[in-house]
Amino acid sequence: MHLRELRLRDLRNIATLDVALERGISIFIGANGAGKTSILEGAYLLSHAESFRASRAEVLIRRGAGGLSVYAEVERRIGPVRLGLARRDSRWEAAVNGAPAANLGALLREFALVCFEPGSHSLISGSSLLRRRFLDWSVFHVEPDYWLQARRYQRALRQRNAWLRQPGADSELEAWDAELALTGTMMAAARERHFANFAEELQGVLAGLLPELGEPRASLHRGWPEAQDLAGALRRAHGRDRQRGHTTLGPHRADWNISFALAPGRDELSRGQEKLCALACVLAQARWYAREQGEWPVVVLDDFASELDIAHQTAVARLLAEGPDQILVSGIEVPESLRAAGPLRVFHVEHGMARCLV
Ligand SMILES: Nc1ncnc2c1ncn2[C@@H]1O[C@H](COP(=O)(O)OP(=O)(O)OP(=O)(O)O)[C@@H](O)[C@H]1O
Ligand SMILES: [Mg+2]
């Protein structure tokens, strides 16, 4: 799939920006602070309804403006779609083909974009929350019920945690245990099904990108002991959970990691290797999506060339040449390494405006 038109209003330093996009590689170049990342962030919002670099949506709104909006026309294998997303009064409003969407999930389902950016190394070295989100984005796209199960699970988790902090009988806790066990077991099974396929793609990408680290191994921990069912594990944890005041096991504690034959510990990776490993995860996610859905997601590479040597950039370009319809890149200048991956369109970005150079 690819974006044909992207329109941004009041996003960071961008007041109004309309950009026509095509298949292939588009590169946004310009000085620091020009607005390159903000353009990519705008496209990302349509596939995640959150930023990859800001935890609060309000900071995305241009200073002095009352809200922001993003609009895009997307070409897909199953037909074109028009998407709109606006942030006003601390709420998201989504529209698909001009009609209000029932919920954010209905918008996010329509468009897929994967993103590698300067903070992506925290997918390897940061908190498990980032890895769960990464995994759940993929599961959401192939398992129609997943969004619903995950919301039910989160609601039950909040209730159970509230009961854990009050003195009282275990019967209320048991009611929430049952709901958590039901939804949590489904979530974990969906994650496991997906992770096996993701790990297979990851192996292929890493062989091309980081062969110097030896055989990779990816493993998923579902959030409670392998030998136990979730209902039993929750029941047995009542005492400990009461003591700590929260639910200490379940899919909200799941995690996954990658280790290499020649670098078994996470802290043995250099900063560049961490970045490459995260980039491999993003490309594997894109490959997995293409295999499942029959078309590639849009691939975004923010500040692609920074901290990566030419040999590794070239290896990435080789992997990219095989696949995505559209790749959106940003950088101070055009990375030489990408010239091999196909014809390039270059946009110059200045003060939140973009002008097509070639
Ligand atoms: N809410 C906001 N309102 C107005 N301006 C903002 C807001 N948030 C950020 N900015 C400004 O928007 C500009 C765009 O930043 P952006 O990160 O997109 O730049 P960039 O071109 O990617 O730069 P770099 O090369 O340093 O990565 C910056 O000058 C920043 O100070
Ligand atoms: Mg930037």
Side-chain angles (χ1 to χ4, degrees):
M1 65 177 73
H2 67 276
L3 292 162
R4 213 172 45 196
E5 176 80 22
L6 181 65
R7 297 183 196 156
L8 308 174
R9 300 288 178 270
D10 294 327
L11 175 74
R12 295 202 186 263
N13 69 336
I14 299 167
T16 300
L17 183 136
D18 293 358
V19 57
L21 295 164
E22 291 175 8
R23 285 171 196 272
I25 305 178
S26 293
I27 306 191
F28 296 89
I29 58 165
N32 293 133
K36 307 178 296 292
T37 301
S38 305
I39 297 173
L40 305 180
E41 201 173 28
Y44 184 91
L45 283 177
L46 290 172
S47 65
H48 289 76
E50 63 182 8
S51 164
F52 51 76
R53 59 175 175 163
S55 51
R56 280 191 330 109
E58 271 45 57
V59 306
L60 305 175
I61 299 173
R62 190 168 64 91
R63 266 188 306 282
L68 70 82
S69 68
V70 184
Y71 168 87
E73 292 173 17
V74 184
E75 285 294 339
R76 303 170 308 176
R77 184 175 55 86
I78 56 165
V81 67
R82 289 175 289 124
L83 305 174
L85 183 66
R87 180 82 182 179
R88 269 184 218 104
D89 303 326
S90 306
R91 292 187 54 233
W92 289 113
E93 292 163 18
V96 177
N97 288 328
N103 52 44
L104 272 180
L107 172 95
L108 303 179
R109 218 175 279 293
E110 300 288 335
F111 173 56
L113 175 151
V114 300
C115 171
F116 171 73
E117 45 93 22
S120 288
H121 64 91
S122 37
L123 187 61
I124 306 303
S125 56
S127 91
S128 60
L129 176 69
L130 300 172
R131 286 182 291 282
R132 280 193 298 278
R133 278 200 190 148
F134 177 89
L135 185 60
D136 284 351
W137 181 88
S138 306
V139 181
F140 162 73
H141 274 282
V142 283
E143 305 256 348
D145 281 347
Y146 190 72
W147 168 274
L148 207 65
Q149 301 301 344
R151 280 179 56 173
R152 272 181 63 184
Y153 182 85
Q154 285 302 334
R155 214 167 23 233
L157 185 62
R158 276 195 299 275
Q159 295 290 345
R160 186 178 188 274
N161 285 344
W163 278 102
L164 283 170
R165 293 182 201 122
Q166 301 179 359
D170 274 359
S171 56
E172 276 296 337
L173 272 188
E174 277 160 16
W176 292 115
D177 285 357
E179 173 73 354
L180 281 178
L182 181 72
T183 52
T185 304
M186 284 194 265
M187 280 175 71
R191 281 174 174 168
E192 270 166 36
R193 278 195 294 278
H194 161 66
F195 192 78
N197 298 331
F198 166 71
E200 213 178 287
E201 296 296 343
L202 184 62
Q203 200 129 25
V205 175
L206 282 169
L209 212 53
L210 271 172
E212 59 272 32
L213 293 182
E215 186 76 15
R217 218 178 85 83
S219 49
L220 172 69
H221 310 281
R222 63 182 181 166
W224 74 95
E226 284 303 324
Q228 299 176 17
D229 64 47
L230 183 53
L234 285 166
R235 200 177 330 107
R236 275 188 287 278
H238 278 187
R240 185 182 57 199
D241 288 359
R242 273 201 189 284
Q243 215 171 29
R244 304 216 182 142
H246 66 264
T247 304
T248 53
L249 49 81
H252 63 290
R253 303 297 292 263
D255 199 1
W256 57 272
N257 60 47
I258 307 162
S259 66
F260 296 88
L262 302 178
R266 197 189 281 175
D267 40 14
E268 287 181 57
L269 299 182
S270 76
R271 165 84 171 202
Q273 286 170 335
E274 241 171 46
K275 277 192 87 158
L276 284 161
C277 205
L279 178 50
C281 290
V282 171
L283 296 179
Q285 190 182 37
R287 278 205 339 191
W288 163 85
Y289 184 94
R291 192 170 85 176
E292 289 286 325
Q293 310 283 40
E295 70 181 329
W296 286 76
V298 172
V299 173
V300 161
L301 306 171
D302 182 33
D303 224 349
F304 163 64
S306 78
E307 294 186 81
L308 300 185
D309 63 44
I310 286 292
H312 284 109
Q313 286 182 39
T314 307
V316 176
R318 217 176 294 128
L319 286 166
L320 288 173
E322 80 186 41
D325 247 15
Q326 187 173 61
I327 304 165
L328 306 177
V329 186
S330 79
I332 301 299
E333 54 194 17
V334 177
E336 280 306 311
S337 54
L338 285 186
R339 293 195 188 277
L344 310 177
R345 287 183 86 212
V346 182
F347 294 85
H348 185 252
V349 183
E350 202 175 11
H351 305 307
M353 318 245 256
R355 188 164 46 90
C356 187
L357 299 181
V358 276

